[in-house]
Amino acid sequence: MNGKFMSFIRGLYASPFSIAMTLFWAYLAFLTIPTVVNWAVINAVFVAEDGDGCSRSGACWAFIIARFDDFVFGRYPEAERWRIIVAFGLPLILALSSLIMSQKQRGKILFGSILLFPISVLLFMYGGVLGMEVVETRLWGGFALTLVIAISSIASALPIGILLALGRRSHMPVIALVSTTFIEVARSVPMITVLFVASIMFPFFVPEGVEVDKLLRTIIAVSLFAGAYMAEVIRGGLQAVDTGQYEASAAMGHGYWQSMRFIILPQALRISIPAIVNLFIGFFKDTTLVLVIGLFDLLNMVLSATSDPKWLGFEVEGYVFAAAVYFIFCFGMGHYSRHLEAKQKQR
Amino acid sequence: MNRQQISIVVQISTIVGLCLFAWFLIVTTKANLAAAGMSSGLGFLDEKAGFDVAFSLIEYSGDNTYWRVFLVGITNTLLASVIAIVGCTVIGFLVGIALLSRNPLTAGVARVYVETFRNVPLLLNILFWYFVILNLFPRVADSFDLFGIGFLNQRGLYLPLIEATPLGRLIMLAVVVVTSIGVFNYSKRQTEVTGFGIFRTGWIALISCTVIALLLWIGVIGAEVEMPAKSRFNITGGISIIPELVALIVGLSIYHGAFVAEYVRGGLLSVAKGQSEAALSTGLTDWQSMRLVILPQAMRVIIPPYISNNLNVVKNSSLGAAIAFPELVNIFAGTSLNQTGRAIEIVLMVMAFYFTISMLISLVLNIYNKKVQFNER
Amino acid sequence: MQSQEAPKTNDILLEARNLNKFYGTFHALKDVSMELKKGDIKVICGPSGSGKSTLIRCMNFLEIPEQGDVIFKGQKVEDSTKSLRALRSQMCMVFQSFNLYPHLTILENCTLAPIWVNKTPRKEAEEQAMHHLERVKIANQASKYPNQLSGGQQQRVAIARGLTMNPEVILFDEPTSALDPEMIKEVLDVMISLGNSGQSMVCVTHEMGFAREVADSVTFMAEGQIIETGNPDEFFTNPQTDRAKDFLSHVL
Ligand SMILES: Nc1ncnc2c1ncn2[C@@H]1O[C@H](COP(=O)(O)OP(=O)(O)O)[C@@H](O)[C@H]1O
Ligand SMILES: [Mg+2]
């Protein structure tokens, strides 16, 4: 500890250039830190009725606090918001309960909780069963919507990605060609165009009278899109599995699907987990794009709140808050993925 | 059935299934279009677009066709992407080296930069620059006067337009040819003397950038200059760089710079420690050992993810649509689509453009990988 | 689909007939033939790259020979799911690098194929697996994972895993080459006891002691061809060809 500290100090004046840098950063800190602290903390207002109660020289966190529930739940009817908590809570509890299970069961339970998620969202958030009235998806929003889109898309991208990855490695030229084409096309276009396909082109593709919910369309499109990226991640995992494993399973008499299911995929998926987490982080951030097709995810909720007549002129607070939420989640998951990767390397 | 037979059956049924699916799509789409009284095909590209775009590198007015709109979108997308690629490269290499600085403050600031911008959505980043920072700029009436040669206000940055005369162009051409030959010979000699391939490629890029900058300047000798002029409500003449473009480029450069920085750091770390010690022990300075020993080796690790990063920059430039920068998605998949209703044709054209770019970039990547493999043998 | 009846020589278990294998333009096996009777133990040796692995991998169709046939119990082996399943469920292979499944316990390694290939009920499969693990003296490690065992232990598990399919033939591809000297013996002991119990085996190995003790014949290969075949004592003391002499002088 002491040695670390000493080398930290020594680094500050190791060379003339280093001294110059130290002085530069010190000067910069002197310029900015007081301003930022004054704005964010000292002059900030945490409780106020409306924008008039906030000062212009400090941050108006009162705005964030007042609208916080909307940022989390969107425009979902207030009396029904408990349903969102239940919808997310059930899979979460299941996932957490895996922590006390053995290593072996943990994977299965985590997998189960991911599968449970869409079902529980459909049952509780959409409703229409158990005496719960239907809440249309156009009322869904906020961080809850961000999570619904991100988690459902990645969860359904997993099986799609596995099939595409196996397809791309297939010895059957047609299968390999179809999979590769899909993967490469999907990976080469921006996500925004995929959202356009879901929101504008899709209605042309289905027979008249058939209507598919816009949110569902979006999730399907993002799942297919994410499936292409997932396929490349899993393909990497498949390549990393030792060829001896393929040979041993063939020599033991397992057919293609058996050796994939019991021997190759479990290993490939485990290798891919850090990359899958990174993929999830990417798509978690990219869900912000749904504002382009008029869905109200966290970012869009915050932006629309900044034009709330009661709270005009607090864009900066809104952006800072939204950025902080994304940062906390992405940074946390990124850390976790690096931790997993390091653990895998140790083996 | 033996394996070959199974394989044939599976493949044929896949083809049949896909054909059926395509047939279903075509039939329903046709029916839907007919019901809506719309035709299909690319004929609409010859129609007059009738709307203006805020910024274009190529000649464009509302009298032009949708085809022209497509081209304007492509050039704007490429313009923003290229500048952002340069931006994120510069940022990425500086920050990447800073991440490994022996000065803990520099390394710490670089780390904070990387973590902050990697973990916040790009869209938020761009919107922030556009809506928040832009608000801090003066209105047109109170424009900043930039030393008499330009103006800066909420509508953008206005600079003199320099248009070369034929003589100026000739001078430019001559200088380009002479300097390129000079640079080429010089670096070839250098490579022969020092044997460092990277020395050549790295400096060629740097020198040619300088040369281009110089040329622009020299070109003025034989050029006509149009100064921007300020009237009460507007600024006319000169060239204007619209704030949408600036916000998009700044957002893209900062965001992707954070990723490039990590690639650079990873690449530098992949070079064995012994290498830099060996270099230093032969009397090279810090900077020389970085340039001649470490970077050339690190490049092999850095370049492949760096090339895919650049593809991502091109794709992500489509976020310009969210702040109404007139790039491809905004004016073609947005405005043009709304006016014509040709959703399928337009979205497919847009996807085809990105697909082409992507294929070109993968081609570059493959060529690079081949070359590296070849050199390693 | 159809299997041609090969001429019945009742006690020939496995036969390779004029096998030719190409990797691209490289001719890895040149017209190689070999037969194995029930209870036979054959040792194959030869310099590295001579095609030993290729030969035994062709015998269970991990590599598919371009020309020639493999005949197992009088049936010609075909490249079809059914034929391969019939072949592989009665024949097992032990690899130089063990190739245990790292994500499964020792016991699971040994029950996976019986349960899913032979459809043995789990309970029964586990009992049988424990029996085979006892045979290779490793039953007490059954709930561990492969990477918690030493190389020699892993190789013994690999043998037990093969035994769970009650194979007619076991193919060994240099089972001791990746092991430290002190572990070689424990694996060889298992192989010898298998041999003494009448198990038919084809072993690619350079362990002369093993060959002398249990092998019925030794086959020497070079450059994709069988150069000579003889009984172990003769081969080691008095090889017929210069190639073999040269090889033995390097190995012994
Ligand atoms: N998958 C393969 N592709 C190309 N060449 C191969 C392959 N497998 C083996 N070979 C070649 O075939 C020859 C015989 O290999 P192998 O049977 O493994 O030899 P041995 O086991 O006797 O050492 C070697 O020259 C090897 O390079
Ligand atoms: Mg071998």
Side-chain angles (χ1 to χ4, degrees), chain A residues 100-314:
Chain A
I100 53 171
M101 301 287 177
S102 70
Q103 184 95 39
K104 185 121 262 184
Q105 281 159 325
R106 195 174 295 168
K108 278 183 195 150
I109 293 191
L110 281 177
F111 196 69
S113 58
I114 292 173
L115 285 185
L116 176 65
F117 180 78
I119 300 170
S120 135
V121 162
L122 193 65
L123 277 182
F124 289 97
M125 274 184 78
Y126 189 73
V129 288
L130 302 172
M132 291 180 289
E133 59 182 279
V134 169
V135 178
E136 294 291 340
T137 56
R138 67 191 161 77
L139 294 177
W140 298 18
F143 195 56
L145 182 69
T146 296
L147 287 178
V148 166
I149 298 174
I151 298 178
S152 330
S153 306
I154 282 290
S156 20
L158 196 63
I160 298 174
I162 290 175
L163 288 180
L164 285 172
L166 293 179
R168 189 168 187 170
R169 286 166 60 90
S170 166
H171 294 297
M172 304 180 212
V174 171
I175 305 286
L177 183 72
V178 170
S179 314
T180 309
T181 310
F182 180 86
I183 293 172
E184 290 305 328
V185 170
R187 276 160 35 93
S188 71
V189 300
M191 179 155 137
I192 210 168
T193 58
V194 174
L195 294 175
F196 276 172
V197 171
S199 73
I200 305 170
M201 266 167 92
F202 185 83
F204 287 103
F205 292 151
V206 291
E208 254 208 285
V210 178
E211 286 218 11
V212 182
D213 182 84
K214 183 165 161 190
L215 177 61
L216 185 61
R217 264 164 22 208
T218 307
I219 291 178
I220 293 174
V222 178
S223 302
L224 288 169
F225 184 64
Y229 287 84
M230 187 68 86
E232 288 301 271
V233 164
I234 290 172
R235 194 164 68 104
L238 289 171
Q239 273 164 353
V241 174
D242 187 50
T243 47
Q245 296 290 315
Y246 291 86
E247 291 177 355
S249 59
M252 289 302 289
H254 296 289
Y256 177 81
W257 290 106
Q258 273 186 14
S259 56
M260 280 303 153
R261 177 174 159 203
F262 295 115
I263 294 144
I264 308 301
L265 275 174
Q267 296 181 54
L269 287 177
R270 190 168 301 173
I271 296 168
S272 316
I273 287 177
I276 293 176
V277 175
N278 285 339
L279 198 62
F280 179 72
I281 297 175
F283 276 94
F284 181 75
K285 287 187 290 180
D286 283 349
T287 51
T288 49
L289 295 192
V290 300
L291 77 79
V292 178
I293 55 167
L295 295 178
F296 281 83
D297 73 320
L298 173 67
L299 181 61
N300 207 3
M301 277 309 292
V302 172
L303 292 186
S304 60
T306 57
S307 52
D308 178 348
K310 267 175 78 182
W311 300 97
L312 280 179
F314 301 114

Side-chain angles (χ1 to χ4, degrees), chain B residues 191 195-204 291-292 295-297 299:
Chain B
T191 312
F196 287 110
I198 188 68
F199 187 79
R200 183 169 70 184
T201 42
W203 286 98
I204 280 191
R291 200 187 72 197
L292 299 174
L295 261 185
Q297 296 185 54
M299 279 319 229

Side-chain angles (χ1 to χ4, degrees), chain C residues 18-31 54 58 63-68:
Chain C
N18 305 83
L19 295 184
N20 278 287
K21 173 75 197 167
F22 295 85
Y23 292 111
T25 56
F26 179 73
H27 201 166
L29 281 187
K30 299 171 188 158
D31 228 18
T54 309
C58 281
E63 304 282 359
I64 300 164
E66 273 80 20
Q67 289 161 20

Side-chain angles (χ1 to χ4, degrees), chain B residues 130-181:
Chain B
Y130 186 61
F131 286 110
V132 177
I133 300 299
L134 195 70
N135 258 343
L136 305 176
F137 284 35
R139 288 153 200 261
V140 177
D142 318 317
S143 300
F144 280 134
D145 198 328
L146 301 174
F147 316 108
I149 59 161
F151 299 99
L152 180 67
N153 59 41
Q154 286 188 352
R155 297 240 196 103
L157 176 65
Y158 294 79
L159 291 173
L161 176 66
I162 300 165
E163 206 150 6
T165 59
L167 178 64
R169 284 192 187 147
L170 212 66
I171 297 177
M172 269 198 223
L173 191 71
V175 178
V176 166
V177 171
V178 171
T179 23
S180 323
I181 294 174

Side-chain angles (χ1 to χ4, degrees), chain C residues 100-223:
Chain C
L100 294 179
Y101 310 136
H103 62 300
L104 300 178
T105 63
I106 301 307
L107 184 61
E108 288 165 335
N109 262 280
C110 295
T111 53
L112 193 68
I115 294 175
W116 291 94
V117 179
N118 288 353
K119 312 286 179 226
T120 315
R122 175 176 294 273
K123 189 108 183 138
E124 203 177 309
E126 284 179 357
E127 277 163 15
Q128 282 171 11
M130 285 312 289
H131 165 72
H132 292 297
L133 286 171
E134 260 154 37
R135 264 178 93 181
V136 301
K137 305 195 180 61
I138 206 142
N140 53 345
Q141 317 272 15
S143 58
K144 286 194 178 167
Y145 284 88
N147 61 7
Q148 296 170 305
L149 303 187
S150 73
Q153 289 173 319
Q154 289 192 39
Q155 193 61 296
R156 283 186 282 146
V157 173
I159 294 172
R161 179 175 73 179
L163 289 174
T164 58
M165 299 299 279
N166 299 321
E168 300 273 359
V169 188
I170 308 183
L171 308 174
F172 288 90
D173 190 0
E174 305 203 24
T176 55
S177 311
L179 297 176
D180 294 338
E182 67 268 29
M183 293 171 186
I184 292 181
K185 189 174 175 304
E186 62 186 63
V187 174
L188 287 180
D189 285 347
V190 168
M191 289 167 63
I192 289 170
S193 82
L194 279 178
N196 289 336
S197 73
Q199 175 75 54
S200 322
M201 316 198 274
V202 180
C203 310
V204 173
T205 181
H206 296 151
E207 294 295 335
M208 301 311 163
F210 169 78
R212 282 206 159 112
E213 187 151 341
V214 292
D216 297 303
S217 75
V218 177
T219 298
F220 174 72
M221 286 184 75
E223 288 171 8

